Amino acid sequence: MMFPKTFHIALGSNKGDKFKNLQRAVDCIYQRIGTIQELSHIYKTPALGFDSDAFYNCCIALQTHLEPQVVLEILLDIEIVLGRRRTKVGVYEARIIDLDIVLIDSMRIATERLQVPHPLMQERKFVLEPLHDIAPHAKHPILQKQISELLSDCKDNSLIEKTPFKLRNPIERYEHSKCHYLAIEGNIGVGKTSLATTIAQDFKAKLVLERFAENPFLPKFYKDEKRYAFPLEMAFLADRHKQVLEDIAQLDVTKTMIVSDYDINKSLIFSKITLNTDEYALYKTFFELLFTTVVKPTCYVYLYQNTARLRDHIKQRGRAYEQTISNAYLEKINTGYLRFLDQQSHLNAKIIDVSERDFVHNRADYLWILDRIIGITERTFNK
């Protein structure tokens, strides 16, 4: 599984409503690039190298799966969208917004368009001061000094004044959500693990992933369903019970957000599809004994996707034992979930059709789905 990179980005403005310019930039970065992990204070700093109004400067820590060159291009486009116009090449001038990549984890990049770490960051107090707010122990990958050391050594004597203004993190719009324990369900290949992982990273939640890869009966089941259906479902049942006790039962869901890529009721849904009547009756008895008092999700999401898209995703992820799954079996799973949800009036469940959405590679699609999961349907970002 690919982990996100952490970008530290410096923002500055000295034209127009400077605070509003910074906030709009943060909102655009969240919408188009990734999740804002940290926001520094805003500092009032003098213009260096030219005569102009004072700047408002800050830094943010950002997590994204996008590559550095792609992030750079988006930042440049955000500058244009917010009204920046470069009139003179290589000349300092007043600007509505200025967005610079300062650090990307411990990466070193030296291209014509992008240099990381920023080659002048250690000389600029207006960068180091806000960066120190959010990443004092981050290390410069070339100088091998922490930001706190660089700030202490910096010879820039500019007057840096902390302002009382505070930027809003766009993700705070979800802070009053009651979605403390989120279970994301869906058919094989729909992307529930990818979505659960991203949401958990964004909200710094406890991530609980189904341990399907450890079930030795799964590859055998896809070759001979009738023979291996019961041991497969019993193995899943035992492992899910163990995982619930280890990863969920001990947590206070009012204090710790949990995001899981499955709900234990999937045991009943799949077993009803794969087992004969007698086997299912026995299986259901075991299920009810094990899960009578288990903690229930406060939010349950079923990602619906049509069969053609499911087959594409199954083919792309390349698990050999999944390639023989029939369309009929995938359709039975969708039907089984929809019937189950139709009977669960007490469950805070949402069915989201993602057949035309690519929430893994398209951030707009991810935010669209997130709004529907958390229950917010109208955006409040500045335009």
Side-chain angles (χ1 to χ4, degrees), residues 75-326:
L75 291 176
L76 292 173
D77 187 62
I78 289 173
E79 289 183 344
I80 294 172
V81 168
L82 296 185
R84 179 172 181 178
R85 299 292 182 267
R86 288 179 169 83
T87 58
K88 299 177 182 179
V89 178
V91 177
Y92 291 118
E93 57 185 352
R95 63 212 76 170
I96 289 176
I97 194 70
D98 187 29
L99 305 174
D100 288 315
I101 299 173
V102 179
L103 294 172
I104 310 174
D105 292 324
S106 59
M107 294 180 66
R108 302 184 188 185
I109 301 174
T111 68
E112 184 177 349
R113 291 179 59 80
L114 178 61
Q115 295 184 52
V116 177
H118 194 287
L120 298 177
M121 61 174 287
Q122 66 274 10
E123 301 174 14
R124 294 175 170 176
K125 201 172 179 181
F126 67 82
V127 172
L128 293 175
E129 194 76 55
L131 185 57
H132 183 264
D133 283 349
I134 60 175
H137 303 301
K139 185 173 286 188
H140 193 292
I142 297 175
L143 301 177
Q144 291 299 303
K145 289 185 176 182
Q146 294 184 349
I147 300 305
S148 57
E149 296 177 90
L150 294 178
L151 180 57
S152 177
D153 295 343
C154 184
K155 295 183 174 17
D156 179 3
N157 294 319
S158 302
L159 179 62
I160 307 296
E161 178 185 348
K162 184 187 294 186
T163 75
F165 307 114
K166 180 176 174 58
L167 292 169
R168 173 185 54 83
N169 190 331
I171 208 166
E172 290 176 4
R173 63 199 297 263
Y174 302 112
E175 66 182 352
H176 299 299
S177 167
K178 296 181 180 179
C179 201
H180 304 302
Y181 173 12
L182 169 63
I184 299 175
E185 271 289 9
N187 213 324
I188 300 167
V190 75
K192 50 189 176 290
T193 300
S194 296
L195 182 60
T197 301
T198 302
I199 292 176
Q201 289 170 345
D202 284 357
F203 290 87
K204 300 178 182 177
K206 168 74 174 178
L207 177 64
V208 178
L209 300 180
E210 185 179 12
R211 299 181 291 210
F212 68 91
E214 299 175 13
N215 193 323
F217 296 102
L218 194 55
K220 298 175 183 178
F221 167 76
Y222 287 128
K223 293 181 180 179
D224 190 342
E225 293 184 12
K226 290 184 178 180
R227 180 179 179 183
Y228 290 104
F230 191 74
L232 171 75
E233 299 300 347
M234 288 301 294
F236 273 133
L237 186 66
D239 191 63
R240 286 168 188 154
H241 182 255
K242 183 173 184 289
Q243 190 170 18
V244 165
L245 293 180
E246 292 175 350
D247 294 341
I248 298 176
Q250 307 301 319
L251 295 175
D252 183 347
V253 297
T254 65
K255 297 179 180 178
T256 303
M257 184 178 179
I258 302 170
V259 181
S260 176
D261 70 345
Y262 77 100
D263 171 61
I264 50 94
N265 282 295
K266 78 178 299 178
S267 298
L268 288 180
I269 297 168
F270 272 80
S271 61
K272 196 165 189 177
I273 296 170
T274 61
L275 303 180
N276 62 45
T277 303
D278 292 338
E279 289 174 334
Y280 177 72
L282 177 60
Y283 182 89
K284 188 176 180 183
T285 300
F286 280 113
F287 178 89
E288 291 173 347
L289 286 171
L290 291 174
F291 294 110
T292 301
T293 60
V294 72
V295 179
K296 305 296 192 299
T298 54
C299 297
Y300 182 108
V301 172
Y302 182 68
L303 302 177
Y304 173 83
Q305 194 167 74
N306 63 47
T307 304
R309 286 291 303 277
L310 291 171
R311 293 215 65 86
D312 287 342
H313 292 164
I314 290 170
K315 183 177 180 180
Q316 288 171 14
R317 71 182 185 181
R319 294 173 184 164
Y321 59 83
E322 290 182 344
Q323 303 309 309
T324 58
I325 296 175
S326 67

Side-chain angles (χ1 to χ4, degrees), residues 22 355 380:
L22 294 177
S355 298
T380 58

